[in-house]
Amino acid sequence: MEIIKSLEGTEATLKVIGRLDTLTSADLEKAVTEVVPQIDSLIFDFEELEYISSAGFRVLLATRNKNEESLKIKILHLTEEVAGLFEVTGFCDIFTIE
């Protein structure tokens, strides 16, 4: 998995490429931890995300729960396969997805 970080003002974008699973979720968690203190808006760009496991969903949920009051989170560009996983897990109801 590769994570491309970009910061513009108080908004950060984390573009995740590849598979977000048990082996890679700690990398996403680290990237989130690094940018959160500097921002008030976080975008996850999943255009090139091939798969997300429960470990990846846990990182997203933990990020939301820890920063619910101070951070706006948005998810962009879900592939059809990943969108299906968001629907089955109910995460499409928890996050803003565009």
Side-chain angles (χ1 to χ4, degrees), residues 56-67 91 94-95:
F57 281 117
R58 275 193 298 275
V59 172
L60 295 178
L61 189 58
T63 300
R64 178 187 169 271
N65 290 345
K66 288 179 190 174
N67 305 286
F91 273 68
I94 298 172
F95 290 95

Side-chain angles (χ1 to χ4, degrees), residues 30-86:
K30 180 181 177 194
V32 167
T33 302
E34 290 172 355
V35 298
V36 163
Q38 312 166 54
I39 61 171
D40 58 22
S41 179
L42 177 59
I43 297 171
F44 291 100
D45 184 344
F46 287 162
E47 182 175 22
E48 296 183 58
L49 182 67
E50 298 167 3
Y51 173 77
I52 182 169
S53 74
S54 60
F57 281 117
R58 275 193 298 275
V59 172
L60 295 178
L61 189 58
T63 300
R64 178 187 169 271
N65 290 345
K66 288 179 190 174
N67 305 286
E68 193 168 7
E69 300 295 319
S70 61
L71 187 65
K72 180 181 174 187
I73 299 173
K74 192 173 3 176
I75 298 172
L76 302 180
H77 307 126
L78 292 179
T79 63
E80 189 175 321
E81 181 179 324
V82 173
L85 294 171
F86 269 77

Side-chain angles (χ1 to χ4, degrees), residues 7-26:
L7 188 61
E8 188 172 312
T10 60
E11 180 176 270
T13 300
L14 299 177
K15 182 174 179 120
V16 182
I17 301 168
R19 295 176 58 87
L20 180 53
D21 55 25
T22 304
L23 299 174
T24 59
S25 62

